[in-house]
Amino acid sequence: MPSLSLLKNRNILVTGGAGYIGSHTSRQLVNAGCNVVVVDNFYSGHRWAVPKEALLIEGDAGDLELIASLLSEHHIEAVVHFAGHIVVPESVTDPLKYHRNNTCCSLNLIAACTRSGVHNFVFSSSAAVYGIPSTIPVAETAPTSPINPYGRSKLMTEWMLEDTANSFISVPEVATQPQDRFRYVALRYFNVAGASQDGLLGQATPNASHLIKVACEAACGRRESVAIFGTDYPTPDGTCIRDYIHVDDLAQAHLLALAHLFAGGSSEILNCGYGTGFSVREILAAVKEVSGVNFSIIETERRLGDPPALTSDPHRLKELFAWQPTLQDIRQICKTAYKWEKTGLMN
Ligand code: UD1
């Protein structure tokens, strides 16, 4: 198991650190003793979300010259790459936006790292790379076959990372120690939800389309109703099943991934979920229960690009990193999300 003490005094660049998952992770990194530099273009992030101990630079993760100069100026030892677009339906209607901002930006960022000798890279990948898996829970060894441009942009970045890592392995005389080689951990997120328990951080993405966020907005009276996108899926109650993971448990996985790389660990691709699925109807019932608000629900057509059921097999993350999630209770996830929606800083 990688020790988090390896993170103390490390210089870490976090792209998208003003966003939802990036801000929770940046806070945990600061608490672990890291010197954090956040790069964010504020497309969907917020200044208030960045810990005050971090250095905040407004800029683009795909700006090769900017990133290369930050890497050298701040003696960066690892990059954690969150920046990117995440709205699946939008990726279907505007695919090049996703390839420009996810695939191409990642390419430039990886190029800046190799040029500057930064060899530790943690990437926000997605369960969307699996598409519609033939069996669930899905393990990392399952074939990848994304069904939307968002998932394809994530998979292409995984491939670039793999090819880059392999290029170092193929020239062993140049890279004799593991630390001399470019290595990465790609974390395949399932459905990230919830907010920090102290109520200081949470999801504030404008026009967010995530189910729990949308339901909490309805519970707070900011939406008239919640639409269920499809009730004719081949699932027990006809609605899609997902594996919801609390954002702070997910953030913890990033710290463990960094510690693994600093210890000389090999490149890894790891699922991040709990392995338990909830249907859309079950989630809406949970949000109603924790909020005490009986908001309206309407049943509508299926949304483009949605697989019927997606749950993770998280064994590898648990075994390799001794990841110990503490916030699995779905009511607790919905409770923190609702508290944030009601009283959070974005109000
Ligand atoms: C998708 C990605 C995930 C990514 C996330 C980011 C896939 C398989 N997963 O998750 O990797 O991190 O987007 O945005 O592509 N729903 C409703 N009504 C709503 C909102 C959602 O019924 O108002 C349903 C959706 O149809 C889906 C489920 O709730 O079945 C979850 O949707 P959402 O929260 O948007 O996440 P995913 O699309 O599963």
Side-chain angles (χ1 to χ4, degrees):
M1 174 201 169
S3 165
L4 292 185
S5 63
L6 286 169
L7 299 184
K8 208 159 174 43
N9 296 322
R10 297 284 192 163
N11 302 326
I12 314 285
L13 183 84
V14 179
T15 74
Y20 174 42
I21 308 166
S23 62
H24 286 77
T25 305
S26 295
R27 180 150 86 149
Q28 288 194 20
L29 286 169
V30 163
N31 291 341
C34 295
N35 307 311
V36 175
V37 179
V38 165
V39 178
D40 203 295
N41 64 8
F42 302 112
Y43 175 83
S44 56
H46 303 273
R47 282 181 193 279
W48 52 255
V50 178
K52 61 178 185 332
E53 298 85 350
L55 177 66
L56 174 57
I57 308 286
E58 182 167 0
D60 206 288
D63 182 339
L64 204 154
E65 298 310 322
L66 168 73
I67 299 293
S69 73
L70 289 175
L71 294 178
S72 90
E73 188 184 335
H74 298 286
H75 308 286
I76 296 297
E77 297 163 273
V79 168
V80 188
H81 178 33
F82 293 101
H85 294 336
I86 61 161
V87 181
V88 172
E90 183 188 50
S91 81
V92 178
T93 52
D94 193 356
L96 296 185
K97 178 172 178 180
Y98 281 70
H99 290 307
R100 192 179 307 113
N101 287 297
N102 293 0
T103 320
C104 297
C105 279
S106 297
L107 186 153
N108 284 350
L109 182 63
I110 297 165
C113 288
T114 54
R115 191 208 274 184
S116 310
V118 175
H119 290 160
N120 304 300
F121 198 103
V122 177
F123 172 55
S124 297
S125 189
S126 169
V129 301
Y130 294 117
I132 303 176
S134 52
T135 51
I136 52 165
V138 63
E140 294 86 351
T141 47
T144 49
S145 183
I147 59 168
N148 50 56
Y150 166 72
R152 290 156 80 89
S153 73
K154 291 290 181 184
L155 186 56
M156 282 196 268
T157 301
E158 284 194 10
W159 285 343
M160 289 190 284
L161 288 167
E162 184 183 355
D163 290 342
T164 305
N166 284 342
S167 74
F168 279 75
I169 292 170
S170 66
V171 280
E173 64 281 5
V174 176
T176 50
Q177 299 298 316
Q179 281 82 351
D180 296 333
R181 298 183 201 134
F182 182 92
R183 288 158 303 118
Y184 69 96
V185 175
L187 297 174
R188 290 180 176 166
Y189 307 165
F190 282 67
N191 286 63
V192 190
S196 69
Q197 287 181 294
D198 61 11
L200 292 178
L201 287 176
Q203 189 176 12
T205 319
N207 308 317
S209 56
H210 299 78
L211 179 64
I212 292 181
K213 168 97 177 153
V214 166
C216 289
E217 286 173 1
C220 289
R222 291 205 196 104
R223 287 178 188 255
E224 281 190 3
S225 59
V226 179
I228 299 182
F229 299 139
T231 53
D232 58 348
Y233 283 100
T235 59
D237 70 13
T239 66
C240 290
I241 292 176
R242 295 288 184 273
D243 182 347
Y244 294 88
I245 174 173
H246 191 284
V247 62
D248 268 327
D249 277 340
L250 177 64
Q252 183 74 6
H254 293 75
L255 272 69
L256 292 166
L258 282 171
H260 165 84
L261 292 172
F262 286 139
S266 54
S267 294
E268 296 287 344
I269 294 175
L270 298 166
N271 283 342
C272 293
Y274 297 135
T276 312
F278 293 94
S279 71
V280 175
R281 290 192 203 278
E282 286 172 326
I283 292 297
L284 296 180
V287 174
K288 283 188 177 189
E289 186 191 322
V290 300
S291 65
V293 180
N294 188 21
F295 51 83
S296 335
I297 294 174
I298 47 173
E299 298 186 359
T300 63
E301 294 298 300
R302 291 183 179 195
R303 189 174 71 174
L304 286 175
D306 273 339
L310 197 52
T311 58
S312 70
D313 174 349
H315 279 98
R316 191 149 170 74
L317 176 65
K318 289 184 172 165
E319 277 158 22
L320 194 69
F321 291 175
W323 178 63
Q324 288 176 334
T326 57
L327 301 159
Q328 297 99 315
D329 179 3
I330 194 66
R331 280 182 308 277
Q332 188 61 18
I333 293 176
C334 294
K335 210 177 192 168
T336 56
Y338 176 62
K339 178 177 165 192
W340 168 255
E341 205 58 51
K342 227 177 156 183
T343 59
L345 282 175
M346 82 290 189
N347 286 300

